[in-house]
């Protein structure tokens, strides 16, 4: 498998808050997928989309370029691997 066959996916992992609070906090996350769509690495939670992309950028610098997809509609796939970045 080549690095070109891999991709990053950025998604909303959860929304924190309760009816008692007007402000909700969105938790963004990312993972890197192989050519078959299996999760290779799952990133940690971030309180903003900007922070999530900064984390992806740091990972890209270490492990190589790959396309980035923002997923706002599909169900989040849970990793089979325990590795977190």
């Amino acid at each position: 498998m080549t690095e070109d066959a891999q991709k990053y996916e950025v998604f909303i992992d959860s929304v924190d808050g309760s009816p008692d609070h007007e402000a909700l906090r969105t938790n963004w996350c990312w993972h890197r997928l192989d050519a078959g769509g299996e999760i290779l690495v799952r990133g940690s939670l971030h309180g903003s989309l900007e922070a999530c992309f900064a984390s992806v950028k740091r990972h890209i610098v270490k492990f190589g370029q790959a396309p980035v997809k923002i997923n706002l509609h599909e169900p989040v796939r849970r990793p089979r691997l325990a590795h977190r970045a």
Side-chain angles (χ1 to χ4, degrees):
M1 174 183 52
T2 66
E3 282 188 23
D4 293 337
Q6 297 179 14
K7 70 178 176 182
Y8 287 92
E9 188 173 45
V10 173
F11 56 92
I12 297 173
D13 190 68
S14 63
V15 178
D16 295 333
S18 70
D20 298 336
H21 297 93
E22 290 183 18
L24 296 176
R25 179 180 170 145
T26 302
N27 293 310
W28 292 89
C29 195
W30 61 268
H31 42 227
R32 188 164 178 152
L33 306 168
D34 66 14
E38 295 298 320
I39 296 171
L40 297 172
V41 179
R42 179 180 159 96
S44 56
L45 292 177
H46 302 279
S48 71
L49 182 58
E50 294 83 3
C52 188
F53 272 110
S55 178
V56 170
K57 184 177 179 180
R58 287 189 298 272
H59 197 265
I60 285 172
V61 168
K62 289 182 181 179
F63 299 100
Q65 292 287 335
V68 177
K69 172 187 175 185
I70 300 175
N71 181 358
L72 297 178
H73 301 288
E74 299 169 17
V76 174
R77 286 172 271 186
R78 295 296 170 199
R80 292 182 184 177
L81 302 176
H83 183 255
R84 274 194 173 271

